Amino acid sequence: MNTFALTDVDRQDLARMEERAAFLGHFNPMTMASTPAADSNMHLLVSLSECCDEVLNEGNLAWTLTPDARTAVFERLYSEERLHEAATLAKEHQVDENDLLGKWIVKLVLDEPIDLPGLALNEISQARIAKGMVSNYLEHRMPDLDMVLERKVADNALDLVRSSRLLGRDTELAALREFMLARGPSRMQSNALMLGGVGGSGKSALLAECVRRVRGTDWSGPMVAWIDFDRALFSRFDETVMMAELARQIGLSLRDSEGVHAFRVALGKMESSSSSAKKRSFRTRAYESTNAQSLWRQYVEPTLAAGRHLVLVLDTYEEMVMQGRDVLETIAKWLDSLRSEFQLHSLRVVFSGREIADLPRGSSLRFAPSLLLGDLSRVWAIELLKQHARVDGTWMNGELLVEKFGGNPLVLKIIGRHLSVSGLQAAVDLLADDYRPGTNDPLAQGVLYTRILGRLRSKDPDLKRLAHPGLVLRRVTPQLIAAVLADPCGLGPIAQARADELFVALAEQVWLVDKESSGVLIHRKDLRNLMLKLMEGDMLHKARAIHRAAAAYYSEGKDPVLDRASQHMEALYHQLFLGELPQLPSDHAARLLNWVGTDIGCAPPEARAGLKYAASLQLSEVEQGTLSADIAHSYHDERLHSAYDAGVETHTIAGSSTHQSNVTGSRVGRFQVLQAFIQGDFDLIGSVSEEVVETALASRNDHRLSGEQRDLVDSPLWFVALAAIRNGDAKKLARYICAHPLYLHADSEPWIRDVRHSIAYSRALDTVVRLLSATIALPERPPADIPGLIRTTDELRAYQLLGYEIGGSGSVAISTYLLRYMQKSFRRFASGGDGPSGFSFDHDTWALPESPDAPLTLGDIAQGVSGAGSMRLASKPATALGRKLALGIIPELYPAIRGALHQADDRRLAQMAARAQLLTGPSWPVELGEKEFAANLAHDREKWTMVLIETADRYGKLEGIVLDSLRLWDMFRGNSQLQTIVIQLERRLQR
């Protein structure tokens, strides 16, 4: 600041100006001078300007202190113990009613009472800014403004969905409210309820009204969490995402949400995967789930009031139904775990959707009688029709319309909106029509809408020609009318001005379209979906022409509103309906399905089957019937694999698939190999090893088949290599691969296409060969860069087996998550102890206690390693300790071990946990102790067995805890061969 000309008195005056400015969000600088017109004060304003920014206030320029200057002022006032005094003075001089920030700074410093529930969103926003400015200088407790803001946002979201008048649903509202409050005769018998109905029947409005009443305006009622599967965040079910969201919404109902905040932070920091796979494995999800449970008990459970129950609303449930039985199974397991493992015993779940599907049997949920929102009674149907037709008082034609068309809410809304645009005379036309539909029949509804479309009342005669075929488009703009709709609809080339006129005319048809934004209309979803399914003949011919024109329009990036990525998705949408969709990778197919939404049911069966197959979703019988024999075989194999990934018990899947190589043209499926691995049938794997190699190499470029979605170490190719190293077949198989022309010409694209950290396909194949043989010559390939940080098991295997021989003598870092970070030698090294020559670790990032005797939970371990750095190697490990530290865990063997442990009863598994405690000491996780582990097995045997396997490996005790027990029990078919594979694998990875 330029203060060289200021006297001591000037400096005191300037300090007073700064102190006044610190308590103002903005100010007119001239009000700061004691005598604004006097030149003697202007030099002070010049000095003040150097620590101010210019801002606009209601169109006029104003000043505001810079953040650094404001902080310096508050620091000075705090150190001089004058902060309260300065705030009191500032309050006396407040003149600008619009300066919300200044008001809030004063309020918070003076600790004035605040009506938090009554605050508007803009007031809360300014209050949060003010809190950030002064919170470090105040000793009194500050209001939780973040919670206030989130509550306000949640309340506003409910208000958007709630209807001003919820017509004719009093009975359903009372039943839903009784269920949510856990009252009435169903209180003890049920903890789940299905709320179903067609689109437009009022499900969301009913839910919103009930939640508002049950939760209360002060949020003192039952805790309510609402998850809408229509949101992109929840469109692919992910338990970690669900737990974070569930905790967030629970926190809004608590007086103190610090525990919830700590839980969400810890959950977000957890590194949860050593995989680049597009599909997260059951092993990954099991470990995440148990870690989340441990963190929940530490942070959230102590804050939950006894006797206060939780209502969980799962809305737009049909989105999950569409994804198949495996997803529903996963949701059922999650809900079971909430009640048992997360101790939410009084959880009550409401499923809401258009398609009602029971959860798999065995779920702990007990369903109350379903609430199905059907037709309205005659009285309420008339009221709904009048509301949308904008009619007051008695209306005879309205009563006749209800008598003719019934009480279907969606039909009544569309008729009412049609009449509000076309005039009440249009009701006479509908009544005069001799067609009498049963409006619960979609075909009948479609006929009704077709007749309305044919009788549009508009000043523009061309609107009729445009409206019906125009339903092919989800969104309509003037540009789309001119470039896409005009020609197929028989209007020929039209000028943009004419397209603008038609757009205005279409916008008036509020029964048909909603206004999304200026210049964009959206067709009403339910009406559009119904009409698309009924298009035939000439209308179908027009529809295809529109789809083709729209695909070209969006592909060329002509839309002035959508960004290029959205236009690409919209182009794919129309290509889907033409049956001309290009082959898409799995994650791209999944994104397109989310984009298409429920419209997928309107696409041609073969086209939608292809897209759902690419996205690895379950197909209907009709869709399966469109698949070729090869694709059908691949599809059924993938469904079995998905069931395994979902945590279905391995012995349940074991008998569901048999080797089909004897079937003409049939390939060995991926799951068939995994199944044999699970069962310990290594001889069977050996007998089909060459066939598996052939299939793996040939399918790489077979674009009809879904691409590789799992890691190399989870692939059939790796399993046959593991089976081969148990005996003398390894080198023979290596020679077979090396002689194959498809191996010699393997591409260098990622093993899992379009995945950043997936190793190159050619490098993956070379890794398999080197696992099989240390001496066989590899083909000449372009140099492969070793990643600076090895993040995945695939990358680690490639480094261990190939890295040194391809020029990998330089430094490399290995992610801690890949390592046996709980073995004593690693913990000593990570805590600051001496390591092998050439090894280094950032000890400051290691948060686990140095003592191996400190008791730990799974949550403690997850937090302790979540921020841990990587282990760096300057060169190939030269000592036994170095090779031991760099070996890492061996997750490729977990499926076989998991299968083996299925033959042991829960008592034996609990004994294994007791043995683990004995071998590892107090640091063995509390949740895996003998008694608690036995209780956890009763809740979810598959999950906890998998966690026991991985945890034993993390402690470097896989052999001592698990494999020795299997050897002692002698129950597993391939026990001795599995022991040999473990020894051979570890030996080859350390050579």
Side-chain angles (χ1 to χ4, degrees):
M1 181 180 294
N2 181 16
T3 57
F4 62 90
L6 298 182
T7 66
D8 289 343
V9 173
D10 287 338
R11 290 191 179 90
Q12 292 175 6
D13 290 342
L14 180 60
R16 281 193 288 271
M17 284 186 181
E18 292 171 344
E19 289 170 11
R20 280 190 62 191
F23 288 90
L24 297 172
H26 57 263
F27 58 90
N28 181 340
M30 299 309 295
T31 63
M32 285 292 173
S34 56
T35 53
D39 292 339
S40 59
N41 290 312
M42 297 310 295
H43 69 295
L44 294 180
L45 291 181
V46 171
S47 296
L48 181 63
S49 71
E50 295 181 16
C51 60
C52 289
D53 291 325
E54 288 187 340
V55 294
L56 277 176
N57 174 39
E58 297 184 346
N60 299 314
L61 280 177
W63 287 8
T64 184
L65 274 189
T66 65
D68 288 345
R70 198 185 300 267
T71 298
V73 172
F74 286 144
E75 291 275 6
R76 182 174 74 233
L77 291 173
Y78 178 72
S79 65
E80 296 174 2
E81 299 183 355
R82 292 194 300 112
L83 189 61
H84 194 278
E85 173 191 333
T88 303
L89 185 63
K91 182 178 181 180
E92 294 174 1
H93 290 88
Q94 281 179 339
V95 293
D96 188 348
E97 292 295 324
N98 296 320
D99 183 11
L100 293 178
L101 179 60
K103 286 184 177 181
W104 276 107
I105 294 173
V106 170
K107 278 180 176 289
L108 293 176
V109 172
L110 297 181
D111 195 19
E112 295 181 347
I114 302 169
D115 176 23
L116 292 176
L119 296 179
L121 279 175
N122 63 328
E123 291 180 293
I124 299 172
S125 176
Q126 294 300 304
R128 291 175 72 227
I129 296 172
K131 180 180 176 181
M133 292 176 173
V134 300
S135 59
N136 290 337
Y137 314 108
L138 304 179
E139 297 179 0
H140 55 262
R141 185 178 178 86
M142 301 283 282
D144 191 344
L145 293 167
D146 289 334
M147 176 184 288
V148 175
L149 178 62
E150 287 200 61
R151 281 186 177 182
K152 183 69 69 174
V153 170
D155 284 339
N156 287 354
L158 276 187
D159 291 340
L160 285 174
V161 179
R162 291 167 68 208
S163 174
S164 57
R165 290 183 65 197
L166 191 64
L167 299 177
R169 299 301 187 191
D170 292 346
T171 301
E172 293 89 343
L173 180 61
L176 186 58
R177 185 169 181 270
E178 180 181 280
F179 173 80
M180 287 189 177
L181 291 172
R183 294 176 182 168
S186 64
R187 177 181 178 185
M188 300 304 295
Q189 290 78 19
S190 61
N191 54 29
L193 180 143
M194 291 285 191
L195 174 64
V198 299
S201 59
K203 297 183 298 296
S204 294
L206 178 66
L207 278 169
E209 182 63 35
C210 191
V211 168
R212 192 76 151 126
R213 295 188 186 189
V214 165
R215 190 167 60 195
T217 55
D218 60 354
W219 291 65
S220 62
M223 299 178 292
V224 180
W226 188 327
I227 291 176
D228 189 345
F229 290 123
D230 195 37
R231 286 184 56 193
L233 180 63
F234 309 127
S235 61
R236 306 291 279 187
F237 186 85
D238 184 305
E239 186 173 330
T240 303
V241 172
M242 294 297 164
M243 288 308 307
E245 179 63 15
L246 184 63
R248 184 190 72 81
Q249 295 194 41
I250 285 177
L252 298 180
S253 296
L254 303 178
R255 286 182 175 274
D256 183 358
S257 62
E258 289 182 8
V260 166
H261 177 71
F263 169 78
R264 294 178 64 206
V265 169
L267 202 62
K269 286 182 178 179
M270 281 197 309
E271 185 174 3
S272 59
S273 180
S274 58
S275 167
S276 61
K278 294 180 179 179
K279 287 195 166 187
R280 292 163 67 248
S281 68
F282 175 67
R283 166 217 158 198
T284 298
R285 290 187 287 107
Y287 220 72
E288 285 179 350
S289 174
T290 52
N291 287 342
Q293 175 198 326
S294 184
L295 293 170
W296 180 276
R297 288 190 173 183
Q298 178 180 351
Y299 291 119
V300 181
E301 195 172 294
T303 69
L304 300 179
R308 192 177 183 196
H309 65 270
L310 169 67
V311 177
L312 174 61
V313 177
L314 300 179
D315 200 7
T316 326
Y317 186 60
E318 65 269 19
E319 293 288 342
M320 296 296 103
V321 173
M322 186 180 75
Q323 294 185 29
R325 202 68 180 168
D326 298 333
V327 175
L328 301 186
E329 182 84 31
T330 303
I331 294 174
K333 285 180 175 291
W334 176 60
L335 295 174
D336 284 348
S337 74
L338 291 181
R339 293 182 59 80
S340 56
E341 297 167 330
F342 288 83
Q343 304 289 303
L344 295 171
H345 300 300
S346 57
L347 172 70
R348 305 180 77 74
V349 186
V350 177
F351 298 86
S352 176
R354 304 180 192 193
E355 295 187 39
I356 301 298
D358 291 335
L359 291 175
R361 292 181 182 180
S363 166
S364 65
L365 299 178
R366 302 179 302 277
F367 284 90
S370 297
L371 287 179
L372 301 178
L373 301 189
D375 285 3
L376 294 172
S377 67
R378 181 176 180 276
V379 172
W380 290 113
I382 293 171
E383 282 299 309
L384 181 66
L385 183 61
K386 288 167 60 178
Q387 183 183 87
H388 287 279
R390 300 177 184 174
V391 174
D392 295 321
T394 303
W395 183 32
M396 183 60 66
N397 280 345
E399 297 177 22
L400 295 175
L401 286 169
V402 169
E403 183 178 333
K404 178 172 183 175
F405 294 107
N408 184 293
L410 178 60
V411 173
L412 293 172
K413 288 176 185 177
I414 289 175
I415 292 175
R417 289 166 181 162
H418 165 58
L419 299 180
S420 72
V421 175
S422 301
L424 297 184
Q425 180 59 35
V428 177
D429 295 340
L430 290 174
L431 290 171
D433 197 319
D434 59 4
Y435 179 66
R436 300 181 63 85
T439 53
N440 286 323
D441 176 8
L443 178 60
Q445 292 176 23
V447 173
L448 169 64
Y449 303 152
T450 301
R451 295 192 177 214
I452 294 176
L453 283 164
R455 293 174 174 172
L456 285 182
R457 291 173 180 257
S458 172
K459 296 177 182 177
D460 196 318
D462 286 336
L463 186 60
K464 283 185 184 180
R465 302 168 68 184
L466 188 80
H468 191 171
L471 284 163
V472 168
L473 299 179
R474 298 200 287 185
R475 54 192 298 278
V476 182
T477 65
Q479 293 81 8
L480 279 164
I481 290 175
V484 174
L485 289 180
D487 191 52
C489 293
L491 301 182
I494 60 173
Q496 192 58 57
R498 177 67 182 125
D500 292 342
E501 294 171 353
L502 286 165
F503 178 83
V504 171
L506 182 62
E508 294 173 351
Q509 304 299 318
V510 295
W511 67 278
L512 186 62
V513 294
D514 282 319
K515 187 175 182 180
E516 182 184 61
S517 60
S518 177
V520 181
L521 301 175
I522 300 294
H523 278 117
R524 292 193 178 274
K525 189 175 184 179
D526 295 287
L527 185 151
R528 179 177 176 272
N529 281 355
L530 177 62
M531 298 302 290
L532 285 180
K533 294 175 182 176
L534 299 177
M535 285 186 176
E536 57 185 18
D538 179 60
M539 191 60 68
L540 185 60
H541 178 75
K542 290 180 180 178
R544 288 189 61 82
I546 293 170
H547 279 304
R548 193 168 302 284
Y553 175 85
Y554 287 118
S555 294
E556 294 166 13
K558 292 182 176 180
D559 194 272
V561 179
L562 296 181
D563 58 35
R564 289 306 297 260
S566 297
Q567 291 192 69
H568 173 67
M569 295 299 283
E570 202 65 15
L572 291 176
Y573 174 94
H574 289 285
Q575 289 171 12
L576 168 70
F577 279 78
L578 289 167
E580 299 173 359
L581 193 65
Q583 183 73 22
L584 298 175
S586 177
D587 54 338
H588 291 193
R591 285 200 295 271
L592 179 58
L593 266 173
N594 290 338
W595 185 268
V596 173
T598 54
D599 289 6
I600 189 65
C602 306
E606 187 171 354
R608 67 174 184 260
L611 180 59
K612 291 169 71 173
Y613 168 75
S616 298
L617 294 187
Q618 187 170 318
L619 308 184
S620 68
E621 289 187 12
V622 171
E623 291 162 350
Q624 290 180 48
T626 68
L627 303 178
S628 66
D630 270 2
I631 304 299
H633 180 77
S634 175
Y635 166 74
H636 289 295
D637 185 82
E638 180 60 33
R639 296 320 304 162
L640 292 170
H641 212 317
S642 294
Y644 178 80
D645 288 339
V648 176
E649 295 187 6
T650 50
H651 66 268
T652 302
I653 308 173
S656 58
S657 175
T658 56
H659 177 56
Q660 299 178 25
S661 60
N662 59 325
V663 179
T664 303
S666 175
R667 289 172 168 169
V668 179
R670 294 169 180 163
F671 182 74
Q672 291 172 311
V673 178
L674 172 61
Q675 177 191 331
F677 199 72
I678 291 169
Q679 295 174 326
D681 196 347
F682 302 113
D683 290 334
L684 174 59
I685 297 175
S687 70
V688 298
S689 58
E690 292 183 1
E691 187 179 348
V692 170
V693 170
E694 194 70 40
T695 298
L697 295 174
S699 63
R700 175 69 174 182
N701 297 312
D702 189 340
H703 297 295
R704 300 170 307 137
L705 302 175
S706 59
E708 185 62 63
Q709 300 176 45
R710 296 176 177 85
D711 293 321
L712 170 65
V713 294
D714 290 327
S715 71
L717 201 55
W718 195 254
F719 290 141
V720 298
L722 291 176
I725 63 175
R726 81 197 193 285
N727 55 30
D729 293 338
K731 186 161 285 190
K732 175 185 175 185
L733 184 59
R735 291 194 187 100
Y736 181 84
I737 296 173
C738 289
H740 202 292
L742 292 178
Y743 166 70
L744 298 173
H745 299 96
D747 64 70
S748 58
E749 293 296 311
W751 167 262
I752 306 174
R753 295 187 191 275
D754 303 315
V755 173
R756 180 181 175 189
H757 295 297
S758 182
I759 63 173
Y761 176 65
S762 56
R763 186 165 163 82
L765 297 181
D766 290 345
T767 303
V768 173
V769 171
R770 188 54 76 231
L771 174 65
L772 293 167
S773 170
T775 58
I776 197 166
L778 299 177
E780 291 285 336
R781 303 198 193 277
D785 294 330
I786 297 175
L789 174 62
I790 294 175
R791 304 168 185 267
T792 69
T793 303
D794 281 2
E795 289 176 334
L796 182 58
R797 293 293 175 266
Y799 177 69
Q800 291 166 328
L801 294 165
L802 297 174
Y804 311 121
E805 66 186 72
I806 60 171
S809 58
S811 175
V812 69
I814 303 174
S815 167
T816 302
Y817 193 77
L818 298 173
L819 304 172
R820 289 170 169 164
Y821 49 68
M822 293 305 296
Q823 63 183 357
K824 290 182 180 180
S825 56
F826 185 91
R827 289 181 65 182
R828 282 195 298 268
F829 171 54
S831 299
D834 292 335
S837 175
F839 279 60
S840 61
F841 191 87
D842 185 355
H843 307 299
D844 292 336
T845 66
W846 185 251
L848 284 177
E850 182 176 357
S851 170
D853 296 327
L856 297 170
T857 66
L858 288 171
D860 292 333
I861 296 171
Q863 291 182 91
V865 301
S866 64
S870 55
M871 183 176 72
R872 184 163 289 280
L873 285 67
S875 60
K876 180 179 180 178
T879 64
L881 176 59
R883 288 190 289 271
K884 181 180 179 181
L885 290 179
L887 174 61
I889 58 173
I890 48 175
E892 53 261 73
L893 297 180
Y894 296 174
I897 299 171
R898 178 184 168 194
L901 291 181
H902 260 293
Q903 301 180 47
D905 57 26
D906 288 1
R907 178 182 59 84
R908 288 181 186 262
L909 293 178
Q911 289 173 354
M912 186 184 294
R915 178 177 175 82
Q917 284 180 299
L918 185 64
L919 290 174
T920 60
S923 70
W924 182 252
V926 171
E927 297 89 346
L928 299 180
E930 182 178 9
K931 291 184 179 179
E932 190 159 347
F933 181 65
N936 287 327
L937 283 176
H939 297 314
D940 193 331
R941 195 179 198 273
E942 287 290 315
K943 179 171 73 176
W944 285 98
T945 300
M946 179 59 83
V947 171
L948 176 68
I949 294 168
E950 179 165 348
T951 305
D953 200 7
R954 294 287 184 194
Y955 278 76
K957 299 292 183 182
L958 189 62
E959 182 171 354
I961 294 173
V962 180
L963 299 180
D964 283 356
S965 296
L966 287 174
R967 188 182 300 115
L968 177 66
W969 298 337
D970 194 23
M971 298 170 62
F972 183 46
R973 176 182 184 178
N975 193 34
S976 62
Q977 296 183 75
L978 177 59
Q979 308 283 342
T980 302
I981 291 174
V982 174
I983 293 169
Q984 285 293 325
L985 176 62
E986 293 195 347
R987 182 178 296 164
R988 290 166 190 246
L989 294 179
Q990 296 180 84
R991 64 193 174 197

